[in-house]
Amino acid sequence: MATGGDSSMPNVQSNIFSTNKTLLRSKTLYKQYVLETTVLPNEPESMRELRILTDNHEMGDMASPADEAQLLRMLIKLTGAKTTIEVGVYTGYSLLATALALPDAGKVVAIDTNPEYYELGRPFIEKAGVAHKVDFRAGLAHERLNELLADEANQGAFDLAFVDADKTSYGRYHEQLLRLVRVGGVLVYDNTLWFGTVVLPPDAPISEEDHRIAAAVRDLNASLAADGRVEVCQLTVADGVTICRRIV
Ligand SMILES: C[S@@+](CC[C@H](N)C(=O)[O-])C[C@H]1O[C@@H](n2cnc3c(N)ncnc32)[C@H](O)[C@@H]1O
């Protein structure tokens, strides 16, 4: 949640979702400093174009913000990931970040129930010359992940997974992904502080849906923190990003 500070900002589109999804309390620090100094000047042109298209879409607030996408690109490069999974594609902003960061022979299996959203972003992925790395699979994530698991060759075959879909199912995806991502590989969960709602009391004036998601995210965070199969790192980027490294 970005609150306070000066909302006027040259060069950066300030009244759009992707420049508002942060837990930092100062807009000046987040938008005028972090985004303008480091993030947006280094955002590839194809991602910038897709971000602006997505910001104008009715569900634009679902997209990952630019600083989170930058983190994802960095993680892929730092880990040398070649094969990844994305759960929750929407228009493909984080998917494009992934495809750009992967080596030319890399692959990302991208899963979403809604192929129409993905079709909006696909031209940008094609224009960026990285469509050959994307294996989009429409449908429910737990079903598509089970299909992957059915092929023994996929078990432990992935280097990284990024999960950004229905928050109440993350625990289930974690169990599936732990079998698909290799030991030493990385699982990244988005929205793990759910705009800070995880610390609100039960009578807080937020929607029932937000209460439900906050409860699910709290359960997830508690179980990840106690999960001996992974090493865990909680970041306050966007509305919370949790990085897990599979250790057994
Ligand atoms: C927050 S958006 C993903 C945003 C995307 N990662 C980005 O950065 O632009 C969540 C997506 O998850 C998809 N989704 C929701 N529930 C799902 C499920 N059970 N299986 C697969 N996809 C699902 C929605 O259709 C939506 O496109």
Side-chain angles (χ1 to χ4, degrees):
M1 283 174 282
T3 54
D6 181 4
S7 63
S8 66
M9 186 172 48
N11 304 327
V12 177
Q13 298 212 340
S14 58
N15 293 318
I16 56 178
F17 297 118
S18 63
T19 59
N20 282 301
K21 203 188 262 188
T22 179
L23 291 165
L24 284 183
R25 291 174 59 83
S26 161
K27 279 186 185 174
T28 310
L29 176 60
Y30 180 58
K31 293 185 179 185
Q32 291 183 3
Y33 193 78
V34 176
L35 291 187
E36 257 196 26
T37 305
T38 311
V39 178
L40 298 182
N42 289 299
E43 183 184 41
E45 179 62 17
S46 54
M47 286 181 62
R48 193 184 72 83
E49 289 173 1
L50 177 53
R51 180 169 55 80
I52 288 167
L53 172 121
T54 305
D55 276 323
N56 289 308
H57 184 251
E58 54 184 346
M59 305 294 282
D61 61 339
M62 291 207 299
S64 299
D67 49 332
E68 183 180 3
Q70 188 180 59
L71 169 71
L72 186 59
R73 285 166 58 212
M74 182 63 86
L75 277 175
I76 290 167
K77 290 181 182 177
L78 283 175
T79 57
K82 295 185 179 66
T83 48
T84 78
I85 298 173
E86 176 163 305
V87 177
V89 172
Y90 181 39
T91 61
Y93 183 67
S94 54
L95 178 61
L96 178 54
T98 297
L100 285 168
L102 285 170
D104 197 52
K107 276 271 180 266
V108 46
V109 174
I111 303 169
D112 201 294
T113 43
N114 193 329
E116 284 163 25
Y117 292 155
Y118 171 60
E119 286 306 320
L120 295 173
R122 196 155 66 108
F124 296 82
I125 294 173
E126 280 166 0
K127 192 174 154 201
V130 292
H132 62 288
K133 302 182 202 173
V134 176
D135 175 0
F136 179 81
R137 303 189 184 188
L140 289 167
H142 73 274
E143 292 181 2
R144 296 291 87 84
L145 293 174
N146 271 341
E147 281 168 15
L148 285 175
L149 280 165
D151 181 350
E152 252 181 53
N154 287 325
Q155 300 194 11
F158 292 86
D159 301 307
L160 182 145
F162 176 60
V163 181
D164 184 15
D166 50 328
K167 318 305 164 201
T168 52
S169 301
Y170 280 21
R172 182 184 206 172
Y173 301 150
H174 185 62
E175 293 307 317
Q176 293 175 302
L177 290 168
L178 273 179
R179 295 166 59 200
L180 292 164
V181 171
R182 65 177 169 80
V183 174
V186 175
L187 302 95
V188 183
Y189 295 102
D190 194 17
N191 312 110
T192 54
L193 298 173
W194 198 239
F195 299 97
T197 57
V198 286
V199 291
L200 292 181
D203 61 348
I206 57 173
S207 69
E208 269 184 37
E209 174 74 348
D210 282 330
H211 273 299
R212 202 170 59 84
I213 295 174
V217 169
R218 273 194 295 268
D219 287 349
L220 173 82
N221 291 335
S223 76
L224 291 181
D227 189 339
R229 298 167 298 177
V230 293
E231 201 176 321
V232 68
C233 174
Q234 171 78 67
L235 302 179
T236 53
V237 173
D239 67 329
V241 173
T242 300
I243 302 175
C244 301
R245 189 173 76 90
R246 184 179 166 198
I247 53 175
V248 285

